[in-house]
Coordinates of all heavy atoms in Angstrom, one line a residue:
M443 N -12.3 -6.0 0.6 CA -13.3 -5.7 1.6 C -14.1 -7.0 2.0 O -14.3 -7.3 3.2 CB -14.2 -4.7 1.3 CG -13.5 -3.2 1.2 SD -14.7 -1.9 0.7 CE -13.6 -0.5 0.7
D444 N -14.7 -7.7 1.1 CA -15.5 -8.9 1.2 C -14.6 -9.9 1.9 O -15.0 -10.6 2.8 CB -16.1 -9.4 -0.1 CG -17.2 -8.4 -0.6 OD1 -17.7 -7.7 0.2 OD2 -17.4 -8.5 -1.8
F445 N -13.4 -10.0 1.4 CA -12.4 -11.0 2.0 C -12.2 -10.7 3.5 O -12.2 -11.6 4.3 CB -11.1 -11.0 1.3 CG -9.9 -11.7 1.9 CD1 -9.9 -13.2 1.8 CD2 -8.9 -11.1 2.6 CE1 -8.9 -13.9 2.3 CE2 -7.9 -11.8 3.2 CZ -8.0 -13.2 3.1
G446 N -11.9 -9.4 3.8 CA -11.8 -9.0 5.2 C -12.9 -9.4 6.1 O -12.7 -9.9 7.2
R447 N -14.2 -9.3 5.6 CA -15.3 -9.6 6.4 C -15.3 -11.2 6.6 O -15.7 -11.6 7.7 CB -16.6 -9.3 5.7 CG -16.8 -7.8 5.5 CD -18.2 -7.5 4.9 NE -18.3 -5.9 4.8 CZ -18.1 -5.3 3.6 NH1 -17.8 -6.0 2.5 NH2 -18.4 -4.0 3.5
D448 N -14.9 -12.0 5.6 CA -14.9 -13.4 5.7 C -13.9 -13.8 6.7 O -14.0 -14.7 7.6 CB -14.5 -14.0 4.4 CG -15.7 -13.9 3.4 OD1 -16.9 -13.6 3.7 OD2 -15.4 -14.1 2.2
V449 N -12.7 -13.1 6.7 CA -11.6 -13.4 7.6 C -12.0 -13.0 9.1 O -11.8 -13.8 10.1 CB -10.4 -12.5 7.4 CG1 -9.3 -12.6 8.5 CG2 -9.7 -13.1 6.0
F450 N -12.7 -11.9 9.3 CA -13.3 -11.6 10.6 C -14.2 -12.7 11.2 O -14.1 -13.1 12.3 CB -14.0 -10.2 10.6 CG -14.6 -9.8 11.8 CD1 -13.8 -9.1 12.8 CD2 -15.9 -10.1 12.2 CE1 -14.4 -8.7 14.0 CE2 -16.4 -9.6 13.3 CZ -15.7 -8.9 14.3
E451 N -15.1 -13.1 10.3 CA -16.0 -14.2 10.7 C -15.3 -15.5 11.0 O -15.8 -16.1 12.0 CB -17.1 -14.3 9.6 CG -18.0 -13.3 9.5 CD -19.0 -13.4 8.3 OE1 -19.0 -14.4 7.6 OE2 -19.9 -12.5 8.1
A452 N -14.3 -15.8 10.2 CA -13.5 -16.9 10.6 C -12.7 -16.9 11.8 O -12.7 -17.8 12.6 CB -12.7 -17.4 9.4
K453 N -12.2 -15.7 12.1 CA -11.5 -15.5 13.3 C -12.2 -15.5 14.4 O -11.7 -16.1 15.5 CB -10.7 -14.0 13.1 CG -9.9 -13.7 14.3 CD -9.2 -12.4 14.1 CE -8.3 -12.0 15.3 NZ -7.6 -10.7 15.1
W454 N -13.3 -15.0 14.6 CA -14.2 -15.0 15.7 C -15.4 -15.8 15.8 O -16.1 -15.9 16.8 CB -14.5 -13.5 16.0 CG -13.3 -12.5 16.3 CD1 -12.9 -11.6 15.3 CD2 -12.7 -12.6 17.4 NE1 -11.9 -11.0 16.0 CE2 -11.7 -11.5 17.2 CE3 -12.5 -13.2 18.6 CZ2 -10.6 -11.1 18.2 CZ3 -11.5 -12.8 19.6 CH2 -10.7 -11.9 19.2
G455 N -15.5 -16.5 14.6 CA -16.7 -17.5 14.6 C -18.1 -16.8 14.5 O -19.2 -17.4 14.5
R456 N -18.0 -15.6 14.2 CA -19.4 -14.8 13.9 C -19.2 -13.5 13.2 O -18.0 -13.0 13.1 CB -20.0 -14.5 15.5 CG -19.3 -13.6 16.2 CD -19.8 -13.6 17.7 NE -21.2 -13.7 17.8 CZ -22.0 -12.6 18.0 NH1 -21.6 -11.5 17.9 NH2 -23.3 -12.9 18.1
G457 N -20.3 -13.0 12.7 CA -20.2 -11.9 11.9 C -20.3 -10.5 12.6 O -19.7 -9.6 12.3
P458 N -21.3 -10.5 13.5 CA -21.6 -9.1 14.2 C -20.4 -8.7 15.0 O -19.5 -9.5 15.4 CB -22.7 -9.4 15.1 CG -23.4 -10.7 14.4 CD -22.4 -11.5 13.9
C459 N -20.4 -7.4 15.3 CA -19.2 -6.9 15.8 C -19.0 -7.0 17.5 O -18.1 -6.7 18.1 CB -19.2 -5.3 15.6 SG -17.5 -4.5 15.9
N460 N -20.3 -7.3 18.1 CA -20.4 -7.2 19.6 C -19.7 -8.6 20.0 O -20.4 -9.5 20.6 CB -21.8 -7.1 19.9 CG -22.7 -8.2 19.2 OD1 -22.3 -8.8 18.4 ND2 -24.0 -8.3 19.9
L461 N -18.4 -8.7 20.0 CA -17.8 -9.9 20.4 C -17.8 -10.2 21.8 O -18.0 -11.3 22.3 CB -16.2 -9.9 19.9 CG -16.0 -9.6 18.5 CD1 -14.5 -9.6 18.1 CD2 -16.6 -10.6 17.6
R462 N -17.6 -9.1 22.7 CA -17.6 -9.4 24.1 C -19.0 -9.8 24.6 O -19.1 -10.6 25.6 CB -17.2 -8.0 24.8 CG -15.6 -7.8 24.6 CD -15.4 -6.3 25.0 NE -16.1 -5.5 24.2 CZ -16.7 -4.2 24.6 NH1 -16.5 -4.0 25.8 NH2 -17.2 -3.5 23.6
E463 N -20.1 -9.2 23.9 CA -21.5 -9.6 24.3 C -21.7 -11.0 24.1 O -22.6 -11.7 24.7 CB -22.5 -8.7 23.5 CG -22.4 -7.3 24.0 CD -23.4 -6.5 23.2 OE1 -24.4 -7.0 22.7 OE2 -23.2 -5.2 23.2
A464 N -20.9 -11.6 23.0 CA -21.1 -13.1 22.8 C -20.2 -14.0 23.7 O -20.1 -15.2 23.4 CB -20.8 -13.3 21.2
G465 N -19.6 -13.3 24.7 CA -18.7 -14.1 25.6 C -17.3 -14.4 25.1 O -16.5 -15.0 25.7
L466 N -16.9 -13.6 24.1 CA -15.6 -13.8 23.6 C -14.5 -13.0 24.2 O -14.8 -11.8 24.5 CB -15.6 -13.6 21.9 CG -16.5 -14.5 21.1 CD1 -16.6 -14.0 19.7 CD2 -15.8 -16.0 21.1
G467 N -13.3 -13.6 24.4 CA -12.1 -12.9 24.9 C -11.1 -13.0 23.9 O -11.1 -13.5 22.8
E468 N -9.9 -12.3 24.4 CA -8.8 -12.1 23.5 C -8.1 -13.4 23.1 O -7.5 -13.6 22.0 CB -7.7 -11.2 24.2 CG -7.2 -11.7 25.6 CD -6.2 -10.8 26.2 OE1 -5.2 -10.5 25.4 OE2 -6.4 -10.4 27.3
D469 N -8.2 -14.5 24.0 CA -7.6 -15.7 23.7 C -8.5 -16.7 22.8 O -8.2 -17.9 22.5 CB -7.4 -16.6 25.0 CG -6.3 -15.8 25.8 OD1 -5.4 -15.1 25.1 OD2 -6.3 -15.9 27.1
D470 N -9.7 -16.1 22.4 CA -10.7 -17.0 21.6 C -10.4 -16.8 20.1 O -11.1 -17.7 19.3 CB -12.1 -16.5 21.9 CG -12.4 -16.9 23.4 OD1 -11.9 -18.0 23.9 OD2 -13.2 -16.3 24.1
A471 N -9.6 -16.0 19.7 CA -9.4 -15.7 18.2 C -9.0 -17.0 17.5 O -8.1 -17.7 18.0 CB -8.4 -14.6 18.0
W472 N -9.7 -17.4 16.4 CA -9.2 -18.6 15.6 C -9.6 -19.9 16.4 O -9.2 -20.8 15.8 CB -7.9 -18.5 15.2 CG -7.6 -17.2 14.3 CD1 -7.0 -16.2 14.6 CD2 -8.0 -17.1 12.9 NE1 -6.8 -15.3 13.7 CE2 -7.5 -15.8 12.5 CE3 -8.7 -17.8 12.0 CZ2 -7.7 -15.2 11.3 CZ3 -9.0 -17.3 10.7 CH2 -8.5 -15.9 10.5
R473 N -10.3 -19.9 17.5 CA -10.4 -21.1 18.3 C -11.8 -21.6 18.4 O -12.1 -22.6 19.0 CB -9.8 -21.0 19.6 CG -8.2 -20.7 19.6 CD -7.6 -20.5 21.0 NE -7.9 -21.7 21.9 CZ -8.5 -21.7 23.0 NH1 -9.1 -20.6 23.4 NH2 -8.8 -22.8 23.7
V474 N -12.8 -20.6 18.0 CA -14.2 -21.0 18.3 C -14.8 -21.6 17.1 O -14.6 -21.4 15.9 CB -15.0 -19.7 18.8 CG1 -14.5 -19.2 20.1 CG2 -14.9 -18.7 17.7
V475 N -16.0 -22.4 17.3 CA -16.6 -23.1 16.2 C -17.5 -21.9 15.7 O -18.2 -21.1 16.3 CB -17.5 -24.2 16.7 CG1 -18.5 -24.7 15.6 CG2 -16.7 -25.3 17.4
K476 N -17.5 -21.9 14.4 CA -18.4 -21.0 13.7 C -19.9 -21.0 13.9 O -20.4 -22.1 13.9 CB -18.1 -21.0 12.1 CG -16.6 -20.9 11.7 CD -16.6 -21.0 10.2 CE -15.1 -20.8 9.8 NZ -14.2 -21.9 10.4
D477 N -20.5 -19.9 14.2 CA -22.0 -19.8 14.6 C -22.7 -20.3 13.5 O -23.8 -21.1 13.6 CB -22.3 -18.3 14.8 CG -21.9 -17.8 16.0 OD1 -21.4 -18.6 16.9 OD2 -22.1 -16.6 16.4
W478 N -22.4 -20.1 12.1 CA -23.3 -20.5 11.0 C -23.1 -22.0 10.6 O -23.7 -22.4 9.7 CB -22.9 -19.7 9.8 CG -21.4 -19.7 9.3 CD1 -20.9 -20.5 8.6 CD2 -20.5 -18.8 9.8 NE1 -19.6 -20.3 8.4 CE2 -19.2 -19.2 9.2 CE3 -20.5 -17.7 10.8 CZ2 -18.1 -18.4 9.5 CZ3 -19.3 -17.0 11.0 CH2 -18.0 -17.5 10.3
E479 N -22.4 -22.8 11.4 CA -22.3 -24.1 11.1 C -23.5 -25.0 11.4 O -23.9 -26.1 11.0 CB -21.1 -24.9 11.7 CG -19.9 -24.4 11.2 CD -18.5 -25.0 11.7 OE1 -18.7 -25.6 12.7 OE2 -17.5 -24.8 11.1
K480 N -24.5 -24.3 12.1 CA -25.9 -25.0 12.6 C -26.7 -24.1 11.9 O -26.7 -22.7 12.0 CB -26.0 -25.0 14.0 CG -24.9 -26.0 14.8 CD -25.3 -25.9 16.3 CE -24.3 -27.0 17.0 NZ -24.5 -27.0 18.3
E481 N -27.9 -24.6 11.4 CA -28.8 -23.8 10.7 C -29.5 -22.8 11.5 O -29.7 -21.6 11.1 CB -29.9 -24.7 10.1 CG -30.9 -24.1 9.2 CD -31.9 -25.1 8.5 OE1 -31.7 -26.2 8.7 OE2 -32.9 -24.6 8.0

Side-chain angles (χ1 to χ4, degrees):
M443 291 176 179
D444 291 338
F445 170 76
R447 293 185 182 98
D448 292 342
V449 172
F450 178 86
E451 292 179 355
K453 179 178 181 179
W454 296 107
R456 67 196 319 268
C459 195
N460 53 344
L461 302 181
R462 289 163 298 141
E463 293 178 20
L466 294 170
E468 58 181 307
D469 294 329
D470 293 327
W472 300 106
R473 298 178 60 242
V474 294
V475 176
K476 300 179 179 64
D477 284 355
W478 55 89
E479 290 183 347
K480 296 181 180 179
E481 184 178 350

